[in-house]
């Protein structure tokens, strides 16, 4: 009970006491009338409060946005996307406009749809029900390549391979170099491709494998997707070549070919962007000048492995062990047994003795300058 209600009841009681015990004065009369009116007002307010407690407020809502595109329109959009293999929004909008202009009345509403709302309809439940794509998990039939370090055991034919990208310009990719180095002899073959996809890479890999004078027994790469795929694995399987790939947290597994990337490719061709359409010219330069110079006229160090008392292997690079890759190949015991069928020893010797190291280097520099003049329109 509120405080004013307590005061009202107390005052009304006192007025009654005065009226009963003594004569009623005008003041007492009007005071009694006041208290009676106050009581009536109090009862009315109490009744109103009880009525308000039973009422619930309900917001008045107006009619919402009308649906402009029906479910039939959304299904028609899904069917159009299916026919055109899911083109982008502007292309589908243009197709809807053209269909309506040709008299197909079904496209009346879709002909005027905005591109942004077209994408909204593609997210609707009706559209997803018609064109829901589920990518289920596909079982892996077999692993591509073995994750281990190659063990050539002193035999040539175990190559390490890597890709070198020739720069970007204005978000446009340049061409790619495929660098392959034999682990034992350091015999090296460099090829150039426009892109590193199956269409361009497989023919170049076939050319690369055919350029080595000895039989290829092993093929080791990093974990790049340009090599870890089924077309490359199928190519190697058809030639009975073991496919291995680098191990996790073993940064030296492909260190040999990566060192050649900087020492030869970057030093000879630099880091500048070379457009992809020059791949054939650069590949011809590699085949006719760079690869012969590297293998027959460029000496390189060959490590000598020493094992200490604790079993730890250390490599020493002695000047006496410096020679060209071809000379290293000839230094192997009974080296002719490793040559491919049709590769004659005297043909290799003739190529090595056809010119001196300086003459081969001069020829290489002249060809490089001509190549760069054609690409960059300036001297190398």
């Amino acid at each position: 009970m509120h405080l004013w209600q307590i005061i009202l009841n107390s005052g009304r009681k006192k007025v009654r006491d005065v009226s009963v015990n003594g004569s009623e004065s005008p003041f007492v009369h009007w005071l009694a009338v006041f208290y009676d009116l106050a009581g009536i007002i109090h009862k009315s307010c109490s009744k109103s409060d009880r009525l308000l407690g039973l009422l619930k407020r309900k917001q008045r809502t107006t009619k919402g946005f009308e649906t402009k595109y029906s479910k039939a329109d959304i299904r028609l959009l899904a069917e159009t996307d299916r026919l055109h293999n899911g083109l982008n929004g502007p292309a589908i909008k243009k197709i809807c406009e053209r269909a309506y202009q040709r008299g197909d009345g079904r496209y009346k509403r879709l002909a005027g749809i905005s591109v942004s709302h077209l994408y909204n309809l593609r997210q609707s439940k009706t559209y997803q029900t018609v064109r829901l794509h589920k990518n289920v998990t596909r079982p892996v039939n077999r692993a591509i390549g073995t994750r281990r370090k190659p063990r050539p055991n002193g035999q040539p034919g175990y190559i390490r391979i890597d890709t070198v990208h020739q720069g970007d310009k204005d978000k446009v990719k340049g061409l790619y170099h495929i660098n392959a180095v034999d682990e034992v002899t350091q015999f090296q073959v460099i090829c150039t491709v426009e892109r590193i996809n199956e269409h361009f890479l497989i023919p170049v890999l076939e050319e690369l494998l055919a350029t080595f004078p000895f039989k290829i027994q092993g093929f080791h790469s990093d974990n790049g997707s340009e090599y870890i795929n089924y077309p490359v694995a199928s190519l190697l399987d058809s030639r009975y070549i073991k496919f291995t790939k680098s191990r996790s947290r073993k940064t030296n597994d492909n260190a040999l070919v990566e060192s050649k990337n900087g020492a030869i490719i970057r030093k000879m061709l630099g880091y500048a962007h070379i457009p992809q359409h020059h791949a054939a010219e650069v590949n011809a330069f590699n085949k006719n000048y760079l690869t012969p110079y590297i293998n027959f006229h460029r000496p390189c160090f060959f490590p000598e492995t020493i094992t200490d008392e604790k079993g730890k292997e250390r490599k020493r690079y002695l000047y006496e062990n410096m020679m060209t890759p071809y000379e290293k190949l000839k230094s192997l015991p009974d080296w002719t047994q490793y040559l491919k069928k049709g590769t004659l020893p005297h043909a290799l010797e003739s190529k090595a003795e056809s010119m001196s190291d300086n003459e081969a280097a001069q020829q290489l520099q002249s060809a490089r300058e001509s190549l760069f003049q054609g690409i960059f329109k300036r001297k190398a």
Side-chain angles (χ1 to χ4, degrees):
M1 184 179 293
H2 297 290
L3 179 61
W4 67 274
Q5 295 175 348
I6 297 173
I7 297 172
L8 178 63
N9 294 335
S10 176
R12 185 184 297 122
K13 183 178 179 183
K14 289 181 179 180
V15 170
R16 288 199 200 99
D17 293 342
V18 171
S19 300
V20 173
N21 298 328
S23 60
E24 182 176 343
S25 66
F27 172 75
V28 174
H29 172 74
W30 290 110
L31 186 62
V33 172
F34 168 75
Y35 280 116
D36 290 338
L37 290 175
I40 294 171
I41 295 173
H42 167 62
K43 292 179 180 179
S44 300
C45 292
S46 300
K47 187 176 181 180
S48 299
D49 291 342
R50 289 194 297 270
L51 289 175
L52 288 174
L54 297 175
L55 296 178
K56 293 184 178 179
R57 181 177 180 271
K58 186 176 181 181
Q59 183 178 0
R60 179 178 178 270
T61 57
T62 60
K63 190 175 181 180
F65 294 105
E66 294 184 0
T67 302
K68 182 176 181 179
Y69 302 99
S70 63
K71 291 185 177 181
D73 294 331
I74 299 175
R75 293 191 186 98
L76 180 60
L77 174 63
E79 178 64 19
T80 306
D81 281 345
R82 186 190 65 81
L83 291 175
H84 295 275
N85 295 322
L87 289 176
N88 57 62
I92 293 296
K93 173 180 168 61
K94 177 61 69 174
I95 289 174
C96 293
E97 291 177 358
R98 290 162 59 88
Y100 181 65
Q101 292 171 0
R102 286 177 172 269
D104 194 339
R106 299 178 301 165
Y107 289 92
K108 181 178 180 180
R109 286 181 292 273
L110 289 178
I113 192 173
S114 65
V115 176
S116 60
H117 196 63
L118 188 147
Y119 284 107
N120 292 339
L121 295 184
R122 284 179 173 177
Q123 300 299 322
S124 64
K125 291 183 179 180
T126 304
Y127 185 95
Q128 295 293 333
T129 303
V130 178
R131 289 207 73 215
L132 180 62
H133 297 282
K134 293 184 178 179
N135 295 324
V136 298
T137 303
R138 299 179 180 179
V140 179
N141 296 327
R142 63 183 179 89
I144 300 177
T146 305
R147 199 176 296 281
R148 65 176 178 84
K149 183 180 180 180
R151 300 180 181 88
N153 297 322
Q155 300 179 10
Y158 290 83
I159 63 173
R160 307 293 187 95
I161 195 165
D162 197 18
T163 304
V164 182
H165 180 221
Q166 193 67 45
D168 294 347
K169 184 178 182 180
D170 298 330
K171 297 183 180 180
V172 177
K173 295 290 184 182
L175 49 78
Y176 295 85
H177 306 290
I178 309 300
N179 188 18
V181 184
D182 178 63
E183 184 173 357
V184 174
T185 64
Q186 296 189 34
F187 209 94
Q188 184 174 358
V189 177
I190 302 172
C191 295
T192 303
V193 293
E194 292 184 30
R195 301 182 183 90
I196 48 176
N197 56 31
E198 177 184 350
H199 176 73
F200 294 97
L201 191 60
I202 296 300
V204 169
L205 287 179
E206 293 176 347
E207 175 188 345
L208 183 145
L209 296 175
T211 304
F212 283 95
F214 38 75
K215 306 168 189 175
I216 304 300
Q217 305 181 60
F219 183 99
H220 183 88
S221 73
D222 56 15
N223 294 286
S225 60
E226 67 268 30
Y227 303 115
I228 309 300
N229 55 65
Y230 288 108
V232 174
S234 177
L235 172 65
L236 299 178
D237 287 343
S238 65
R239 298 169 183 254
Y240 303 101
I241 299 174
K242 298 178 182 178
F243 190 7
T244 59
K245 54 188 177 182
S246 297
R247 302 166 292 175
S248 300
R249 297 180 296 278
K250 299 291 183 180
T251 55
N252 289 334
D253 273 4
N254 223 24
L256 175 62
V257 65
E258 289 174 357
S259 66
K260 297 288 186 179
N261 291 344
I264 295 177
I265 295 180
R266 291 304 187 190
K267 186 173 289 187
M268 183 59 58
L269 298 174
Y271 294 84
H273 170 76
I274 299 179
Q276 294 180 344
H277 62 270
H278 291 293
E281 305 169 40
V282 179
N283 192 49
F285 166 78
N286 295 335
K287 181 179 179 180
N288 298 327
Y289 300 100
L290 184 56
T291 296
Y293 167 77
I294 294 170
N295 296 316
F296 296 100
H297 303 285
R298 182 182 182 276
C300 51
F301 278 107
F302 288 87
E304 180 178 315
T305 305
I306 300 175
T307 306
D308 59 15
E309 297 177 353
K310 297 182 180 180
K312 186 175 182 179
E313 294 183 351
R314 299 180 182 275
K315 292 184 178 181
R316 296 197 306 173
Y317 295 86
L318 303 177
Y319 180 79
E320 293 77 11
N321 296 332
M322 177 173 277
M323 62 189 81
T324 64
Y326 172 64
E327 291 171 344
K328 178 64 177 179
L329 176 63
K330 289 197 305 180
S331 68
L332 300 178
D334 195 12
W335 67 281
T336 56
Q337 65 175 323
Y338 302 114
L339 297 180
K340 289 180 180 177
K341 186 178 180 180
T343 302
L344 302 177
H346 64 83
L348 297 176
E349 187 68 23
S350 175
K351 184 179 292 187
E353 298 296 333
S354 61
M355 63 183 71
S356 66
D357 296 341
N358 290 337
E359 290 173 343
Q362 181 61 43
Q363 189 182 65
L364 174 68
Q365 295 297 334
S366 299
R368 174 175 172 267
E369 185 173 342
S370 299
L371 174 68
F372 279 13
Q373 283 179 351
I375 296 175
F376 302 112
K377 308 302 181 184
R378 60 176 176 79
K379 289 187 177 181

